Amino acid sequence: MIKPEKTINGTKWIETIQINAEERATLEDQYGIDEDIIEYVTDNDESTNYVYDINEDYQLFIFLAPYALDKDALRYITQPFGMLLHKGVLFTFNQSGIPEVNTALYSALDNPEVKSVDAFILETLFTVVDSFIPISRAITKKRNYLDKMLNRKTKNSDLVSLSYLQQTLTFLSSAVQINLSELDRLPKTHFGVGADQDKIDLFEDVQIEGEQVQRMFEIETQVVDRIDHTLNSLANNNLNDTMKFLTIWSLTMAVPTIITGFYGMNVKKLPLAGMQDAWMLTLGISVALIVAMLIMLKVWRKM
């Protein structure tokens, strides 16, 4: 979809969302954007980047934003969105239809302090970086709940939820780190050349916000990993206790089996076989051997 043109203090803004082949051709024919640029900026596998081409007169910004697979389960990945300054016209590309990107764009448009297209871009980046914070807080809340539940009784559904949190943290923390690296580099590029004080302040605001979000995800990742490590240790200990119990029980049941099997042989004149209460005697021998074995295991600290 190519939305109607808007203006940002005299600069044309063309907003696109999930464009198809026909709309790509329109951008090429009507606005003279090269096909390779459109392919690049709409590629869902692209990572954060900034490109400046003096010959073609364009600046291309690509950043990663959170993309919800399942908000209730807190399953997130990241998808790129692009902003292209091409011959004095701003184009934005939200090929995945990310709601946070749409919110960021219109928040920057409605901000009365945004008085230039550069400020619009930086304000949009600030809001997109800020959109990671509610997800981090939701992860913290979910992690606290799982920590309490898993300490009481481990359920497979809770373990799956913990796995989802780890996957989400992997995607988002990586994206935050990559975005922050590009934000740190941006002032040194053509986009940052000759920046006035207002623009410098915007650069600093976006960088500070990026660093804050990065610290939040680093801490959360460490805590979730420690919970997972603790659960694995508990599971291993429980398995060891179970195997120990089964081993001792197997040894205990083996003793009467050996004794009764010995006296069950089809041969004559077995020891003590002629006694009237021979079965009571074999039972007593079995019990005595079992008790002796348990005492030895206790002394050897195997129980």
Side-chain angles (χ1 to χ4, degrees):
M1 179 195 313
I2 300 178
K3 292 196 171 183
E5 291 184 6
K6 305 175 186 65
T7 58
I8 305 168
N9 292 303
T11 301
K12 286 185 179 180
W13 171 30
I14 309 299
E15 180 187 7
T16 73
I17 301 175
Q18 297 177 325
I19 57 174
N20 54 34
E22 183 179 349
E23 291 165 338
R24 291 170 188 248
T26 299
L27 291 175
E28 295 174 23
D29 298 337
Q30 187 171 343
Y31 297 99
I33 303 177
D34 190 79
E35 180 183 0
D36 292 338
I37 297 177
I38 296 178
E39 288 292 334
Y40 181 65
V41 79
T42 57
D43 187 354
N44 287 333
D45 295 323
E46 285 299 330
S47 183
T48 303
N49 197 9
Y50 168 79
V51 178
Y52 169 61
D53 191 317
I54 189 173
N55 296 322
E56 296 293 333
D57 188 19
Y58 74 79
Q59 297 181 76
L60 176 61
F61 307 79
I62 295 180
F63 280 82
L64 296 174
Y67 181 79
L69 297 176
D70 186 344
K71 282 190 176 182
D72 294 334
L74 285 178
R75 296 191 65 188
Y76 283 85
I77 59 174
T78 57
Q79 290 291 313
F81 71 97
M83 293 181 285
L84 175 67
L85 269 174
H86 182 264
K87 297 180 180 180
V89 180
L90 175 66
F91 299 85
T92 58
F93 297 87
N94 186 5
Q95 194 62 17
S96 299
I98 306 170
E100 288 79 3
V101 172
N102 296 330
T103 300
L105 291 170
Y106 283 93
S107 174
L109 182 66
D110 296 336
N111 190 337
E113 297 181 0
V114 173
K115 299 178 181 179
S116 67
V117 69
D118 289 356
F120 176 86
I121 291 172
L122 289 174
E123 192 66 33
T124 299
L125 294 180
F126 180 91
T127 307
V128 169
V129 170
D130 215 34
S131 68
F132 285 86
I133 295 179
I135 302 174
S136 177
R137 290 173 179 165
I139 290 174
T140 300
K141 184 177 180 180
K142 183 72 171 182
R143 181 255 300 166
N144 289 332
Y145 168 77
L146 290 175
D147 192 20
K148 293 178 182 178
M149 295 303 297
L150 291 170
N151 284 332
R152 296 175 186 173
K153 185 177 181 181
T154 303
K155 297 181 180 178
N156 289 339
S157 59
D158 292 334
L159 292 175
V160 171
S161 296
L162 185 62
S163 175
Y164 287 160
L165 287 188
Q166 288 180 307
Q167 294 174 27
T168 294
L169 284 169
T170 298
F171 282 113
L172 298 189
S173 60
S174 175
V176 167
Q177 184 176 359
I178 295 172
N179 283 348
L180 182 58
S181 297
E182 193 61 31
L183 290 172
D184 291 338
R185 187 179 77 92
L186 208 53
K188 307 178 183 67
T189 65
H190 176 78
F191 185 68
V193 172
D196 56 19
Q197 189 58 47
D198 290 339
K199 191 172 181 179
I200 292 173
D201 292 341
L202 282 173
F203 275 127
E204 291 178 352
D205 290 343
V206 177
Q207 290 168 345
I208 291 171
E209 193 72 5
E211 291 170 357
Q212 177 186 348
V213 174
Q214 183 187 38
R215 285 193 296 270
M216 293 176 66
F217 276 99
E218 283 178 350
I219 293 171
E220 199 59 42
T221 299
Q222 291 174 6
V223 174
V224 171
D225 286 344
R226 288 181 182 179
I227 292 174
D228 181 64
H229 178 73
T230 301
L231 286 175
N232 287 333
S233 298
L234 289 173
N236 289 333
N237 287 337
N238 292 337
L239 179 61
N240 289 338
D241 291 341
T242 301
M243 295 304 297
K244 182 188 293 185
F245 171 79
L246 292 176
T247 301
I248 293 173
W249 182 254
S250 298
L251 291 173
T252 302
M253 295 303 297
V255 172
T257 302
I258 294 173
I259 300 301
T260 55
F262 178 77
Y263 276 93
M265 290 188 298
N266 189 21
V267 294
K268 295 181 178 180
K269 296 183 179 181
L270 287 171
L272 308 177
M275 295 180 60
Q276 184 177 359
D277 295 326
W279 72 274
M280 291 291 294
L281 182 60
T282 57
L283 181 61
I285 293 173
S286 299
V287 172
L289 290 175
I290 290 173
V291 172
M293 181 185 66
L294 293 177
I295 292 174
M296 286 188 296
L297 289 175
K298 188 69 174 180
V299 171
W300 293 342
R301 297 183 180 180
K302 300 296 184 181
M303 290 180 59

